[in-house]
Amino acid sequence: PALSGAVVEASGAITKFSNIELPSNVLLPSLLFFSSGPSSVSFSGRTKSGDLLTGSLATGRVQKATLPPSKLGLSGAVASVSALNTSGDLLAVSDGSSTVVVHVGTSVSVVVPASPVSAIGATTGTGKVAMTYVVLVVEGKITVHSFTPAPGSAGPPTPRGAGSALCPLDPAAHGEVHGVYPHLRAGQLDVLLTTAGGTSAMLRSTTPVGGVLLLTRQWTAEEYLDGVRAVLLLDRAVPAAGGAHPDLLTRLDLQRSDVLSRVAHFRSLLSSEGAGDTDAADPFHLSKRIVALAPPPLVGGHGRVFAVDSAGGGVEWGALLCPSGEHTLVPPVQDGGNVVVLSRCAGAMEWQALSSEGGRVVRAGTVPLSGAARPVLMPLPLDWDGVAVVLLYEEAGISTVPPEAADLVRAHISERNGIYLHATDGAAGGSSLSSFRVTAYGDKIVAQEVAHLSFPPDETLHSVTYPDPREKVQSPAVVTGDDSLLLKYLNPNLAVVVTTMSDDAINTAETGTSKVLLTGGPGNPKKKPLGVTGAGQAAPRGGAPAGTPEVPTMFVSLVDTVSGRILHRAGHPHASPTNSGGAPTVPVAISENWIYYSLWNTKSKRSELTVVSLYEGMMDKHAMTATRRPEQQTTFSSLEGSVRPVVLQRSYTTAKPIVAIGTMQSALGV
């Protein structure tokens, strides 16, 4: 191979090189070039045989030298070569398992012996004595080597000291350190560390003397916080309530404690005393521990689960998850229980139960998966030795997490005469929802399909949102102004399914030839496209002709996941998901009988918030008296006696786009 190029100096002078021959076994992609003086260029790289290649270029000639890895203290062939400074005379050479630091001058000399380095960096100061610092992370320790340049800057640098200290970032919680960026400022050596888990930390180091190195953490930034994908809000401590029906003495004691707590809170507002008292600072027990999932910051990196204090905002604990996996959070069955994390990695479902207090792994295991398809996960209201039980449904069969809870699950299913789960399929041109009845036969758990809901082929499944199973219902009815009652429609099997329409389907519907978006019935055999104006109606806004339909581009469907029925369906013309950091999202929240969702109206260029209220019916003020009591079911069934709810819907405009909607409750149910 031959090289051609040019060197452009600061003065503007240009020196051209042409047809300079290189060694025949050089790996061209590995070559690094550096300006080493007027009209000269130094280079380094590696050969096909695994040797280190160094040399310099001058007009019309090339000087080169190769060095086998054994001369560098490496056991294998050279796999990578990287420069540690801008002049290119300090190189990090690795064979894949160990890394050595060499100086390239009149000869190649080793300045830092080979070691299993996970990250390396270097910096050189300015002044009369330009100190060079090489920082390495080796087996959980940070090592700093300091050097001074040799006289004439041709020989190897003179070592001045070396020291090591433990890395302050725990690799089990933050991931391995993969980046080291030292910097000299005002005589101080600052070192920026970055980890595979998305943590950045700035450390200040003293000059290493006698093998001793002191590190001071300046700040820590959790870079993964902006990529949260799932969140659990857990109560820190639930005050003793004396059971569901406390006696008189217990109620008096609770009232006394409440009065004392409010007095302490009032006193803390007047003075700084008691600022650290949790009950005084949080009298309504609104403080939460936020357990969240974050995707890996790098391709192929580790996902992360961590806990954040809702009051102070600090990260309390964190743990790494398997790389390149799909992760799911499962809340504890009981307050103060363990959080279960499910990770689908490499053809298996890995699970671990983490203590919500400190993130300690209480239990862990692996459940093999039979296929490549994503299994359906169904958390059950069961606790097996501190672990929330989860049902895994695949076409090949049903398994449990943990596997030891299979007997407990079969007993639970038999006691309820079967339970129901559902699966969604978002395949293009065939989005659907299937409901299955799960029963126990002997030592087996089987599922049989009982309902199937198919969405129109023009629609694509965007998202599915469910209510929080831990939510406490404040009241089953709403009192109106005339003392009558509106009975809330409280369906635990409700799901909000958001589907969007494809561009081709929109164009087809706008021409009036769509077979899906048509209105009419038995009494109106002559169907017309949805949105066509009738006699006496105003034409659509925007100057469109009267026959142009307002094509819904997004549909919000309220679906009963057991019976597969659509309870309510609304179409929104000119709607699109809100752009949240480049990701289209439709924020949806379900609380009791209310559904909230937001979307972006592309025609009016504004954000809209829609509120949907569901009611079973109404009772006048005389329907319930001392002698009259209406008949009501104490349990809800989606299959027997289920009525379609009365739907009240209202939309509002908002000044700013809404990217997330959520609800929360205090430890006492507020």
Side-chain angles (χ1 to χ4, degrees):
L3 287 179
S4 297
V7 175
V8 181
E9 301 179 13
S11 61
I14 300 177
T15 303
K16 294 184 178 180
F17 298 90
S18 60
N19 297 325
I20 297 179
E21 294 186 359
L22 292 175
S24 59
N25 62 342
V26 65
L27 287 174
L28 290 178
S30 70
L31 288 179
L32 304 173
F33 296 92
F34 306 92
S35 175
S36 57
S39 303
S40 70
V41 176
S42 61
F43 66 90
S44 60
R46 57 192 178 97
T47 63
K48 296 179 181 178
S49 58
D51 296 337
L52 174 65
L53 173 67
T54 60
S56 62
L57 301 175
T59 305
R61 68 181 189 278
V62 58
Q63 296 178 349
K64 61 183 183 299
T66 57
L67 203 63
S70 58
K71 295 292 184 179
L72 304 175
L74 298 175
S75 58
V78 175
S80 64
V81 179
S82 58
L84 297 179
N85 55 6
T86 56
S87 59
D89 59 352
L90 204 61
L91 303 176
V93 184
S94 174
D95 63 357
S97 59
S98 299
T99 302
V100 62
V101 180
V102 301
H103 178 267
V104 180
T106 54
S107 61
V108 178
S109 55
V110 176
V111 295
V112 179
S115 58
V117 175
S118 59
I120 186 172
T123 183
T124 301
T126 58
K128 295 182 179 179
V129 181
M131 294 282 291
T132 297
Y133 293 89
V134 177
V135 184
L136 307 94
V137 179
V138 181
E139 297 178 344
K141 291 185 177 181
I142 298 178
T143 303
V144 177
H145 296 266
S146 60
F147 303 91
T148 54
S153 300
T158 304
R160 290 301 180 186
S164 299
L166 288 175
C167 180
L169 300 179
D170 183 9
H174 301 278
E176 295 290 341
V177 176
H178 67 74
V180 176
Y181 308 95
H183 175 64
L184 276 173
R185 182 177 60 181
Q188 295 285 347
L189 176 61
D190 292 337
V191 180
L192 176 64
L193 303 180
T194 59
T195 69
T199 300
S200 300
M202 179 65 77
L203 309 178
R204 178 156 292 178
S205 169
T206 60
T207 302
V209 178
V212 178
L213 182 69
L214 297 178
L215 295 175
T216 304
R217 188 185 304 194
Q218 303 298 307
W219 51 261
T220 302
E222 309 293 352
E223 310 290 352
Y224 54 85
L225 290 177
D226 63 344
V228 172
R229 291 293 180 267
V231 170
L232 290 178
L233 299 178
L234 305 180
D235 294 313
R236 290 191 169 276
V238 180
H245 303 285
D247 54 22
L248 177 61
L249 293 179
T250 303
R251 291 199 302 269
L252 292 176
D253 185 63
L254 290 173
Q255 292 178 6
R256 181 186 63 84
S257 301
D258 183 65
V259 171
L260 294 178
S261 176
R262 293 177 185 275
V263 171
H265 175 61
F266 180 74
R267 292 181 59 185
S268 67
L269 296 177
L270 301 179
S271 65
S272 59
E273 297 180 2
D277 189 351
T278 304
D279 290 335
D282 187 20
F284 300 105
H285 302 282
L286 296 175
S287 177
K288 301 283 184 179
R289 176 177 286 111
I290 305 172
V291 180
L293 274 178
L298 303 174
V299 177
H302 291 268
R304 192 163 179 178
V305 58
F306 57 95
V308 178
D309 179 17
S310 65
V315 177
E316 296 181 345
W317 55 263
L320 295 182
L321 304 175
C322 66
S324 303
E326 296 181 4
H327 313 291
T328 305
L329 278 178
V330 179
V333 177
Q334 301 175 353
D335 292 326
N338 303 316
V339 177
V340 176
V341 184
L342 301 173
S343 304
R344 186 164 72 98
C345 305
M349 183 66 71
E350 299 181 6
W351 64 272
Q352 50 183 332
L354 305 177
S355 169
S356 58
E357 294 293 332
R360 179 177 58 90
V361 179
V362 179
R363 293 184 180 275
T366 302
V367 177
L369 299 177
S370 59
R374 182 178 183 180
V376 177
L377 306 178
M378 180 182 179
L380 299 176
L382 301 175
D383 183 273
W384 183 85
D385 201 11
V387 180
V389 180
V390 181
L391 210 62
L392 269 68
Y393 168 75
E394 298 180 275
E395 291 185 359
I398 295 179
S399 55
T400 62
V401 172
E404 297 83 356
D407 293 338
L408 181 63
V409 172
R410 284 192 291 267
H412 173 75
I413 294 175
S414 300
E415 179 183 351
R416 297 196 170 202
N417 194 25
I419 60 176
Y420 293 85
L421 62 80
H422 66 279
T424 57
D425 185 4
S431 300
S432 62
L433 182 146
S434 301
S435 176
F436 300 88
R437 183 172 182 261
V438 181
T439 54
Y441 290 99
D443 59 348
K444 293 184 178 181
I445 302 175
V446 297
Q448 181 180 6
E449 185 175 352
V450 295
H452 184 82
L453 171 63
S454 296
F455 294 95
D458 295 332
E459 299 178 25
T460 302
L461 184 65
H462 181 274
S463 63
V464 183
T465 306
Y466 306 94
D468 186 354
R470 302 171 297 162
E471 184 180 36
K472 302 177 180 66
V473 178
Q474 306 299 316
S475 173
V478 176
V479 182
T480 62
D482 60 352
D483 290 337
S484 58
L485 297 178
L486 287 176
L487 303 179
K488 295 180 180 179
Y489 181 79
L490 302 174
N491 186 349
N493 306 317
L494 185 67
V496 178
V497 181
V498 179
T499 54
T500 57
M501 209 172 172
S502 63
D503 292 338
D504 293 339
I506 294 173
N507 295 332
T508 302
E510 287 177 345
T511 61
T513 59
S514 173
K515 297 181 180 180
V516 178
L517 300 176
L518 297 176
T519 61
N524 183 19
K526 220 171 177 182
K527 299 180 181 180
K528 63 179 181 179
L530 182 65
V532 172
T533 58
Q537 296 178 337
R541 291 181 298 173
T548 302
E550 291 286 329
V551 179
T553 58
M554 181 183 297
F555 294 89
V556 178
S557 305
L558 309 186
V559 178
D560 189 306
T561 58
V562 172
S563 63
R565 293 191 306 160
I566 294 181
L567 304 175
H568 175 67
R569 181 172 165 89
H572 296 274
H574 312 292
S576 68
T578 304
N579 189 354
S580 176
T585 177
V586 179
V588 182
I590 305 174
S591 178
E592 296 188 356
N593 66 316
W594 295 293
I595 294 96
Y596 313 87
Y597 61 90
S598 178
L599 48 86
W600 179 259
N601 192 312
T602 59
K603 185 176 182 179
S604 59
K605 301 295 188 293
R606 66 188 182 189
S607 177
E608 296 181 0
L609 174 65
T610 300
V611 182
V612 180
S613 302
L614 307 178
Y615 296 97
E616 282 189 13
M618 179 180 176
M619 295 172 54
D620 61 36
K621 61 181 179 180
H622 302 295
M624 183 181 296
T625 63
T627 58
R628 294 182 60 186
R629 185 175 182 180
E631 293 185 3
Q632 281 188 294
Q633 297 290 337
T634 57
T635 58
F636 182 88
S637 174
S638 296
L639 301 176
E640 299 177 1
S642 177
V643 298
R644 191 178 296 271
V646 178
V647 180
L648 303 179
Q649 179 172 324
R650 183 68 61 87
S651 295
Y652 308 88
T653 61
T654 59
K656 298 289 185 179
I658 299 175
V659 297
I661 303 176
T663 62
M664 66 171 293
Q665 290 184 341
S666 70
L668 298 179
V670 178

